[in-house]
Amino acid sequence: MTRHITRTALGTGAVLLTSTLVLTGCGSGFAGDEAPTESSELSSSDDDLTVLIGSSGDAETAAVQEALDAWSEESGTKVSLQVASDLAQELSQGFAAGEPADLFYLSTDQIAGFASNGSLQAYGDELSNKDDFYPSLVENFTIDDTFYCAPKDFSTLALVINSQMWADAGLTDADLPQSWDDLGAVAKKLTTSDHVGLAFGAEFQRVGTFMAQAGGGLVADGKAIADDEANVEALEYVKSHLADGTFAYAKDVGAGWGGEALGKGAAAMVIEGNWITGALANDFSSIDYTVAELPAGPAGQGTLQFTNCWGMAADSPNQQAALDLVEYLTSADSQLAFSKAFGPMPSIKSAADAWTTDNAALAPFLAGADYAQFPPNQDGAADVIADFNAQLESLKTAEPADILGSVQSNLEAIVE
């Protein structure tokens, strides 16, 4: 049965957003038909700058403040940092009041709505380092062929393994899975009465890795492809292992997300992003773990990536200074400092070697950048994904083709 989403039309600048630790999707809806602001007309003044962020904690806040202080001292322009308790709401309020922050964290599923109502300054082509960003990250923040904003960092998904459980099952580095068959085989060996072989969230933001490995996805070349046979094959594969008990959703093993499932010993392997390192270090420090690239599927390797950009307000009176600040914040030195402080990977290719040297054990996350897909960034896509996630919770007993047919109909309504 096809499920259609009823979308509420929100006023200009209003946002509907849900965010979680594990970077699940967030949605936005907007009304308005103002044309995007052209990047060639940046304002310039002596005004101070305001930067609005949604912080993961004290470490991130301190690192951003330190970078802003250093740039301010160098440039002579004062910058004030605002840490949002509800970033979406505070962004919307700023735009509605005509007093937005000059720069702000902006997610991929917010950009289309804010771009369509004229809230954003499209400055991507003005960046002196624009060719240094990973192309897939640029694509995340490109709307109607316009590159809006600089990706500030990113994360990918990989296979994170409890090293002790791996060894106890008689497995070695030679057994790291290279294919779906391999993954199924090691998951079976790792499954005991105490823990499941592989766990992950009941959501597209994890299950979507299998869709990518099968050669599918949700949107390609501007068209909805949710009902593609590759996606059916991917969900059939996942369903078969949910049914035989070697795979499980994190919630079904008593965990809120994959990191908790691994940390509590409820799973020997999980599919998670590089943010898991902080959780394991802080909450489950006794766990020895190994990170490996996800195995290839029928169409090759595939993973998902997640990112934010430095959004710039169309109403900012000092966009030239804001642009200079963005270039400073996305430089190799700044991004490597951020990575050391709170974990994200640099969004620029020139920092890759230094990051890999400093984080050799996490290199599989960065390797995923070469073949990662990203969730759709069309306005309303987050609502479709939320509905998809609700259906994935019953994948163990549902028909994958029926689920994907419903997602296809919903995607077509916003994409085509």
Side-chain angles (χ1 to χ4, degrees):
M1 172 184 279
T2 298
R3 302 176 69 198
H4 293 284
I5 296 173
T6 300
R7 298 183 60 227
T8 302
L10 304 178
T12 299
V15 182
L16 175 65
L17 175 67
T18 301
S19 60
T20 72
L21 171 67
V22 294
L23 295 183
T24 57
C26 36
S28 58
F30 302 85
D33 55 4
E34 298 178 41
T37 302
E38 293 300 325
S39 60
S40 59
E41 301 177 358
L42 297 180
S43 62
S44 180
S45 71
D46 295 327
D47 288 51
D48 298 342
L49 297 179
T50 300
V51 174
L52 178 67
I53 70 171
S55 179
S56 61
D58 292 343
E60 181 170 359
T61 300
V64 174
Q65 184 67 68
E66 183 178 350
L68 296 181
D69 290 344
W71 178 84
S72 184
E73 182 176 356
E74 180 181 298
S75 67
T77 300
K78 294 182 179 180
V79 187
S80 61
L81 176 64
Q82 299 176 350
V83 180
S85 57
D86 187 328
L87 181 60
Q89 182 181 45
E90 292 176 41
L91 271 177
S92 298
Q93 290 172 341
F95 286 130
E99 297 180 352
D102 299 276
L103 292 175
F104 40 85
Y105 284 6
L106 184 67
S107 64
T108 55
D109 44 12
Q110 290 176 287
I111 186 171
F114 280 132
S116 68
N117 67 24
S119 296
L120 302 180
Q121 179 70 27
Y123 69 87
D125 287 338
E126 302 297 316
L127 290 162
S128 61
N129 60 343
K130 70 174 185 177
D131 293 333
D132 198 12
F133 295 101
Y134 289 101
S136 60
L137 297 180
V138 172
E139 188 178 354
N140 271 256
F141 299 108
T142 297
I143 304 294
D144 295 331
D145 298 322
T146 299
F147 177 27
Y148 270 83
C149 50
K152 72 179 190 69
D153 51 42
F154 78 112
S155 302
T156 64
L157 300 176
L159 192 66
V160 188
I161 303 166
N162 182 308
S163 301
Q164 187 60 56
M165 291 180 180
W166 187 264
D168 289 346
L171 299 168
T172 68
D173 286 351
D175 298 303
L176 291 172
Q178 304 299 310
S179 67
W180 281 2
D181 286 345
D182 292 345
L183 182 63
V186 296
K188 183 176 182 179
K189 286 187 177 181
L190 289 165
T191 299
T192 70
S193 58
D194 296 322
H195 57 258
V196 71
L198 175 67
F200 42 85
E203 56 189 353
F204 164 73
Q205 290 88 345
R206 300 297 180 274
V207 177
T209 58
F210 296 101
M211 295 164 63
Q213 292 155 18
L218 291 181
V219 176
D221 299 323
K223 294 186 177 298
I225 61 165
D227 62 355
D228 189 273
E229 281 301 314
N231 294 325
V232 176
E233 182 178 12
L235 295 197
E236 290 283 6
Y237 171 79
V238 174
K239 176 182 177 178
S240 69
H241 288 292
L242 290 173
D244 69 22
T246 58
F247 292 6
Y249 288 144
K251 67 181 182 63
D252 292 331
V253 293
W257 65 293
E260 185 181 5
L262 192 77
K264 292 171 66 173
M269 303 183 293
V270 296
I271 297 173
E272 274 302 336
N274 40 299
W275 51 82
I276 195 176
T277 59
L280 293 177
N282 295 326
D283 301 325
F284 306 104
S285 58
S286 64
I287 298 294
D288 183 21
Y289 63 93
T290 300
V291 180
E293 291 182 66
L294 290 168
Q301 288 183 288
T303 188
L304 299 181
Q305 68 181 21
F306 306 92
T307 183
N308 288 287
C309 79
W310 287 107
M312 184 186 295
D315 290 339
S316 170
N318 199 0
Q319 293 166 342
Q320 288 288 355
L323 177 69
D324 184 71
L325 176 54
V326 169
E327 291 178 342
Y328 181 87
L329 294 172
T330 57
S331 68
D333 287 345
S334 292
Q335 291 208 55
L336 289 169
F338 291 153
S339 180
K340 184 176 181 180
F342 58 96
M345 296 186 296
S347 58
I348 50 174
K349 294 173 285 186
S350 61
D353 288 345
W355 186 88
T356 301
T357 298
D358 293 341
N359 302 275
L362 306 181
F365 287 116
L366 187 59
D370 291 335
Y371 48 82
Q373 292 185 6
F374 58 89
N377 62 0
Q378 288 82 5
D379 190 20
D383 296 329
V384 176
I385 291 173
D387 182 78
F388 186 15
N389 290 346
Q391 296 188 70
L392 283 174
E393 291 186 3
S394 61
L395 176 61
K396 187 174 179 179
T397 57
E399 288 299 324
D402 292 342
I403 293 175
L404 292 166
S406 168
V407 178
Q408 177 72 17
S409 296
N410 290 327
L411 273 179
E412 287 176 350
I414 65 165
V415 174
E416 301 173 19

